[in-house]
Structures are given as structure tokens and as C-alpha cells.
Amino acid sequence: MSESGDPLVSADWLMANISAPDVRIVDATWFAPWTDPPETAHDLWKRGHIPKAVYFDIDDIADLNSPYPHMLPDAVKFSSRVRKLGLGDGSRIVVYDQNRFFASARAWWMLRVMGHKDVHVLDGGLHAWVTEGGALDDLPTPPGERHFTPRVRSDLIMDARGMEQLVGSARVRIIDARPDGRFFGRDPEPRPGMPSGHIPGSINVPGNLLVTEDGRMKSASELARLIPEPAKPTVATCGSGVTAAITALALARLGNWDVAVYDGSWTEWVSDPARPIAKG
């Protein structure tokens, strides 16, 4: 069930195709709460977005009964929410954000978990669009409800039990996308009371290393140097499943479209004191 090609599209491509009747545009900007952003992501969308873009809120399109933040909802809730956004069967979906793939990569992964194949991420996000001369709109986008048929790909999502079974196994690589200080246990986690460190056997490729200073994904050749053996079966993890999706996006660019994301990530892993923590 693998996909192919580049998961990213350029601002030039979007400008040339934005008027196509099947193209749907999604702003999935998200800011971690501990960064204390001056505006909410939704306020930024209201102030200026790519024409036709609807706002995709990962904290709302989520399992609100979970103790962990923005966990993937079940297929019924997901399809209900995206249907009301006008995202559905036959749509070519382009996701972007205003914050260096937070959380356009997460929305891209969520849509693919739910079985939608024709979804791409705008390389460079809103900044690239504006830099290339793209206009902004501050008017609400009439969504026009559209039917969405979920076809859940369970292979793209990993839970705590599955991760426990991977510890000590060499058959699947675990890539942790958190900053190295948190991974190695030198720096504290931003969520209060949470220990730092990493899942035993995992390797560290911080998500910020995959992105250029102007917010674009690095080239395939640069990514291959950062993540060797891209075809190796891989699970991506991070703090709460957002940065991990950037790892999955980067590996899709290298041809591996089957990377799973550990949805609960470090937040869930350390919730059980019986689970091992490695440092150093």
C-alpha cells in the first residue's frame, strides 16, 4: 500500500493548481503551549491565510477522552470533523502551516492514517507562499461539506504496547525527534514533572535538523545523510506525536512512506513508571 513521489509541493505548484475544483487547502498551524505564543494559531489563520484554506485544529480533531494531548481520534470522529471542513473522497489536499511543519506534517500523517492518499505538504508553509508572491485572504472559507470514507491504516500508528515489544528488538528502528538535551537526559522536559531521557534502543535525530532556516524541508541528499538506511522499518517518536510526523514526512521524501508514528510518544511512555528510561 506504499505511496510514491515527493510528499511535498512547492508554492509555485500550488499557485498553478489552486483554482482546480478538487484542490483543498488546509492550515494546520500549531504552537506548543509552553512557547507562550502571542496569538493562537486560529487567530493567525483568521488574520491571513492562503485563499480557500480551512483551519485544521489538531487539539480539536483529537481523542478528547485521552489523558495525552491531541491523540488521534477514532475514524467516526475524524471523518465527521474533516467532512465539515470540506475534505473528502476525491480531494487533492495540500496542508501547510505557519510554524516550520508544526503541525502540517501531523495533519498529513493523520489524513494518511485515515486512508486518504492524495495529501501533500506545502514546502516552506505560508512563508514560502508569501515569498513567491501569493496573496492572503482574511475571509472565512465556506467549507462545503464533503463525504470522507475512512480506511484506517493501523500500520502507520504505534501504541505503548507495541513500543514495549520493540525495546531490545533490532528489526524496527526507533527515531526520537526531540532535541538532544531532552533525549540524553541533560535538559528537562517542557511538561512539568516529566523526566527526560529516551526509550531504550532509540536513536536521536532532532526534528529541527530536517528543516532549513527558512522553514523548508532539506533536500533528499541532505536528509539521507541525517537518516541513513531510509528504507529500514521505522517508528518515529517525540514528545507528543507532532515532531515525530516531521520525521515520517522526511522519510517519505526518501521513499519510505510506511513510517509509523508513536502517537502517545514520550508523554505516554513515561506515564507508567514500570517502562524503562535510558539516559546518556
Side-chain angles (χ1 to χ4, degrees):
M1 199 170 176
S2 298
E3 292 150 285
S4 61
D6 195 335
L8 301 169
V9 296
S10 68
D12 285 343
W13 182 94
L14 185 55
M15 287 177 189
N17 291 274
I18 192 169
S19 298
D22 60 338
V23 169
R24 299 290 184 271
I25 304 171
V26 171
D27 184 325
T29 305
W30 177 80
F31 297 102
W34 58 83
T35 62
D36 195 23
E39 291 183 274
T40 68
H42 191 237
D43 285 341
L44 281 178
W45 172 83
K46 288 190 289 187
R47 189 149 57 83
H49 51 265
I50 295 174
K52 294 175 60 174
V54 295
Y55 182 65
F56 186 111
D57 185 351
I58 66 167
D59 286 326
D60 175 65
I61 305 176
D63 178 5
L64 300 184
N65 293 318
S66 171
Y68 314 115
H70 43 252
M71 293 297 93
L72 191 73
D74 63 28
V76 173
K77 178 175 182 178
F78 185 88
S79 58
S80 173
R81 287 289 197 275
V82 300
R83 185 169 64 239
K84 291 175 181 176
L85 292 177
L87 310 176
D89 302 345
S91 298
R92 287 189 290 167
I93 300 174
V94 177
V95 190
Y96 76 91
D97 63 54
Q98 305 185 42
N99 188 28
R100 300 172 63 84
F101 296 101
F102 287 86
S104 57
R106 170 83 185 183
W108 167 84
W109 170 77
M110 292 171 70
L111 284 157
R112 293 181 58 244
V113 170
M114 293 296 169
H116 197 87
K117 290 185 177 181
D118 203 347
V119 53
H120 291 76
V121 176
L122 176 61
D123 195 15
L126 190 71
H127 175 73
W129 174 262
V130 172
T131 300
E132 296 298 324
L136 297 181
D137 196 349
D138 61 1
L139 298 175
T141 302
E145 190 165 323
R146 190 178 183 92
H147 183 71
F148 184 95
T149 306
R151 300 177 179 86
V152 178
R153 284 195 60 185
S154 57
D155 61 309
L156 293 181
I157 184 168
M158 184 65 69
D159 60 15
R161 185 173 181 179
M163 294 302 292
E164 289 169 357
Q165 293 172 349
L166 290 181
V167 172
S169 168
R171 61 188 177 84
V172 177
R173 171 176 58 183
I174 303 170
I175 297 180
D176 191 318
R178 289 175 301 149
D180 60 358
R182 290 162 58 189
F183 177 87
F184 289 112
R186 298 191 308 265
D187 298 335
E189 288 291 316
R191 294 176 174 86
M194 188 175 295
S196 57
H198 57 271
I199 298 171
S202 58
I203 63 172
N204 185 222
V205 183
N208 67 302
L209 296 183
L210 308 177
V211 182
T212 65
E213 289 187 6
D214 65 351
R216 299 173 194 263
M217 181 72 71
K218 289 185 175 178
S219 68
S221 60
E222 292 172 302
L223 294 174
R225 286 194 290 270
L226 292 166
I227 314 176
E229 298 183 274
K232 187 178 179 69
T234 299
V235 174
T237 184
C238 59
S240 63
V242 177
T243 314
I246 303 176
T247 303
L249 183 66
L251 281 165
R253 182 162 231 194
L254 293 175
N256 185 353
W257 288 77
D258 299 320
V259 174
V261 168
Y262 175 23
D263 199 21
S265 282
W266 191 245
T267 303
E268 181 182 39
W269 184 262
V270 297
S271 68
D272 184 347
R275 295 190 187 113
I277 295 175
K279 296 179 182 285

